[in-house]
Amino acid sequence: MADFTNLNLEGANEKLNKALTDAKALKDNLLASAGGDASTILASLESKVSDLQSSFADMIPELPTIPNINMQSEFAQLANFDITSPQYPSQIANITSQFGPAMKAKGLDIESLAEQILAGGSIGDLLPNLQLPDGELIPVELPAEVSLPSVEAIEEKISKVNLDKVTLKTPEVEVVTTVSGTTTTTTTTTGGETTTTDSEVTFEDLAKARLKEKLKVRTIIPGTFKNGEGEELPIQKYTDDKIITLEIRAGMRFGVRNKTEQQKRLLPKTAYRRYFESDTDIEGGQTDASFLAAVSSGDWNWKDDGEYLYFDTRYKKNRKT
């Protein structure tokens, strides 16, 4: 049998050699101490046993640890990638491979959720708290993360009542009658009778008030039209704020964020082509390459039918009056 304690031999191992040497030293010490005083033998053996234990421990490699994979954390990393970069679809594919079956079982679409999150949606509200434990293939659902308050609670002041100043109040008797579209309220108290008259609010008045509020936030295309049911509605489909936000995320104008920050909030490809059109994209056959070229050059404009823009309700076949 080969002598593996010889370092010149093929396959010799320094840590194994030390363990074998310490084991031989313990054995030799036991043989040499045979017949001696027990307490003396114990004292001499303790150090030898400790050396042997240390040698065996050094031979055991440190086991690697793999952290559990949390789906909400994986989605959060999408904010670090530009939607046009190769890392973005790679991260989507990675999430799908890990959590795709579990999300499908819940009726949730990963790509749709990613678009909503990039549009500003809350990860905690949109996604279940799924986690893939180390070495497992099936994710488990954890309770929703509990948020802790960042501000100390305000001490509630308990109201005090001065019993010496408590008085009794005679209950009021209220009689309500409706005559010819007006409401008359008669309130009788110990001090006498009070009569008030209020005008009745009609559905037509409420509809006019709602329309007025809608027109306040739709100023780019003024005017109204009546639908098939005779209801008067604004011609401008979207609010001014939504139109401006879409233009910023399409790179048609710059918002408060700097250009680098704005690139991270670009619209998904489907949203680009739903609201806008680009000569670069159309001439390139609307491929992935032509889309990226249009995004890079900022060549996007609102869709129009030659007369009306996309956010005008008269766009294409809808000719409102």
Side-chain angles (χ1 to χ4, degrees), residues 82-96:
D82 185 349
I83 193 172
T84 60
S85 68
Q87 291 90 345
Y88 179 84
S90 175
Q91 180 69 359
I92 292 291
N94 185 42
I95 295 173
T96 302

Side-chain angles (χ1 to χ4, degrees), residues 128-143:
N129 193 11
L130 295 181
Q131 183 168 283
L132 190 62
D134 177 22
E136 299 293 334
L137 299 177
I138 301 177
V140 296
E141 184 167 1
L142 304 178

Side-chain angles (χ1 to χ4, degrees), residues 245-264:
T245 299
L246 287 171
E247 290 178 351
I248 291 174
R249 295 191 59 195
M252 295 165 61
R253 68 163 79 192
F254 292 105
V256 177
R257 301 183 182 88
N258 58 44
K259 188 172 182 180
T260 302
E261 190 70 19
Q262 185 171 346
Q263 289 292 327
K264 298 179 181 179

Side-chain angles (χ1 to χ4, degrees), residues 125-185:
D125 294 338
L126 293 172
L127 301 175
N129 193 11
L130 295 181
Q131 183 168 283
L132 190 62
D134 177 22
E136 299 293 334
L137 299 177
I138 301 177
V140 296
E141 184 167 1
L142 304 178
E145 295 293 345
V146 179
S147 300
L148 297 177
S150 57
V151 181
E152 293 186 5
I154 300 175
E155 183 179 354
E156 182 180 359
K157 294 183 178 180
I158 302 175
S159 59
K160 297 181 180 180
V161 179
N162 189 343
L163 298 179
D164 296 333
K165 296 183 179 180
V166 174
T167 58
L168 295 177
K169 183 178 179 181
T170 305
E172 298 180 346
V173 179
E174 184 177 82
V175 180
V176 180
T177 57
T178 302
V179 181
S180 302
T182 61
T183 302
T184 302
T185 304

Side-chain angles (χ1 to χ4, degrees), residues 180-199:
S180 302
T182 61
T183 302
T184 302
T185 304
T186 303
T187 306
T188 304
T189 66
T190 55
E193 183 177 280
T194 303
T195 302
T196 59
T197 303
D198 302 317
S199 299

Side-chain angles (χ1 to χ4, degrees), residues 287-302:
T287 62
D288 289 343
S290 65
F291 168 75
L292 294 177
V295 172
S296 177
S297 63
D299 177 28
W300 293 97
N301 295 289
W302 282 97

